[in-house]
Amino acid sequence: MNAVRNRACRENAFEEAERDAVYRAIFTRRDVRSHFRPDPIDDTVLARLLLAAHHAPSVGFMQPWNFIVVRDMQRRQAVRDLFLAAREQELPNIAEERQALYRKLKLEGICESALNLCITCDRSRSKGSPLGRWHNPEMDIYSTVCAVQNFWLAARTEGIGVGWVSIIDVDALKRVLNIPGHVVPIAYLCVGHVSEFAPRPDLERNGWGSRLPLSDLIMSEIFGGEGEDALKDIANDVPR
C-alpha cells in the first residue's frame, strides 16, 4: 500500500527542473520600483500573465476580478500625483528617526514602467451565491489578492517586473479610473521589462527591515504553541 501511495505522489509531483523553476520564481520575485526599461510588453505575453491571474483560486468560483490596463501617460501622471500626495500624508506617521530614509526610498515606477494595471474586485459578482462567503464575506477580496500573486509570479518567469503601489487614496483612484462604487481597487501595479531583478528586496537592501526567521513563525496546534522543533530545524536550513 505504501509503495502504491508513494508512486501516486511521485506521479502527481513536478519533475525536479519544473519544481526548481517554480521555487525560483517565488524566491526571486521582487516588488520592482526601479530598473524599468522602456520596451513595450507584447500583448501575447500580457495575455499569458492575465490568464495566469484569471486561474487564481477563487472561493465559490466567484472570479471577482477585473483587469484595467492603463497605458495613457496623462492618466498615469494623474495616478502618480495621487501617490505623491498620499506619500506626504503618510510621512508624519513614520517614526521620526526613519523619515529621512523614507524620503529616499523609491516606492513607485508609475510613469517609468511599460504600463500600469489595476486589479479590482467586483463585490456584486457573487450576489445570490453565498458559498464560502456566508461566514467570511471578505473571501472575494482574498481571492482577488490570489490573482495578484498569480500575475506577479507569472511575470517573473517572463522577466517582467511588477511593483505594487499601495500608497494611494483609494477613493481618488476610483475617480481617476471611473471605477463604480461596488468595485474595490485591490492592487495598482507598475508592470514592465527591467534591466535587473535585485538579489534582495529593496527595503531590505536599504535597511528598512529584514526577513523574519521562518522558525520563529511556526507554531504547534494553537497560536503560540510550542513544539515542531524538528520542522523548525529543517526550515532554518532549507536551501533557496
Side-chain angles (χ1 to χ4, degrees), residues 168-202:
I168 202 161
D169 183 307
V170 172
D171 289 333
L173 179 64
K174 292 179 73 167
R175 289 192 291 271
V176 170
L177 300 183
N178 198 30
I179 297 173
H182 67 280
V183 175
V184 180
I186 300 301
Y188 193 89
L189 306 176
C190 308
V191 184
H193 294 285
V194 293
S195 58
E196 66 175 303
F197 286 91
R200 291 191 297 157
D202 285 350

Side-chain angles (χ1 to χ4, degrees), residues 7 24 69 75 89 101 124 140 147 160 184 192 197 208 210:
R7 184 169 65 252
R24 181 187 174 201
V69 180
R75 182 170 287 107
Q89 293 169 349
L101 174 57
S124 71
D140 55 345
I160 292 173
V184 180
F197 286 91
W208 187 263
S210 57

Side-chain angles (χ1 to χ4, degrees), residues 46 67-79 110 113-119 173 176-177 179 187-191:
L46 181 58
F67 308 101
I68 305 174
V69 180
V70 183
R71 303 181 192 268
D72 180 73
M73 189 54 69
Q74 186 174 354
R75 182 170 287 107
R76 289 160 64 177
Q77 185 61 60
V79 173
I110 295 170
S113 55
L115 58 88
N116 295 174
L117 180 72
C118 185
I119 301 181
L173 179 64
V176 170
L177 300 183
I179 297 173
Y188 193 89
L189 306 176
C190 308
V191 184

Side-chain angles (χ1 to χ4, degrees), residues 9-145:
C9 290
R10 289 194 301 271
E11 289 172 353
N12 289 325
F14 285 11
E15 296 294 332
E16 183 176 1
E18 297 171 327
R19 185 184 66 223
D20 289 347
V22 172
Y23 283 114
R24 181 187 174 201
I26 292 170
F27 293 142
T28 63
R29 180 210 57 81
R30 292 290 177 265
D31 193 353
V32 178
R33 288 83 177 266
S34 53
H35 309 303
F36 281 112
R37 301 199 323 251
D39 321 37
I41 298 174
D42 187 274
D43 277 353
T44 302
V45 175
L46 181 58
R48 279 202 299 268
L49 304 185
L50 293 174
L51 185 62
H54 187 45
H55 279 72
S58 171
V59 172
F61 204 47
M62 67 183 76
Q63 305 166 76
W65 40 72
N66 285 98
F67 308 101
I68 305 174
V69 180
V70 183
R71 303 181 192 268
D72 180 73
M73 189 54 69
Q74 186 174 354
R75 182 170 287 107
R76 289 160 64 177
Q77 185 61 60
V79 173
R80 187 169 189 273
D81 289 344
L82 296 181
F83 160 80
L84 293 174
R87 185 172 181 175
E88 288 305 306
Q89 293 169 349
E90 186 173 74
L91 180 63
N93 297 292
I94 303 294
E96 187 173 353
E97 65 273 13
R98 308 189 85 188
Q99 289 186 10
L101 174 57
Y102 178 85
R103 286 189 178 278
K104 293 178 182 178
L105 294 172
K106 172 72 170 170
L107 297 176
E108 54 80 32
I110 295 170
C111 295
E112 299 95 325
S113 55
L115 58 88
N116 295 174
L117 180 72
C118 185
I119 301 181
T120 66
C121 175
D122 185 339
R123 308 215 67 187
S124 71
R125 191 159 299 167
S126 60
K127 188 176 181 180
S129 177
L131 176 62
R133 290 188 62 210
W134 182 257
H135 295 94
N136 296 284
E138 303 299 316
M139 293 309 297
D140 55 345
I141 299 288
Y142 304 152
S143 295
T144 306
V145 173

Side-chain angles (χ1 to χ4, degrees), residues 200-211:
R200 291 191 297 157
D202 285 350
L203 292 181
E204 183 178 40
R205 182 170 52 83
N206 284 290
W208 187 263
S210 57
R211 192 174 301 280

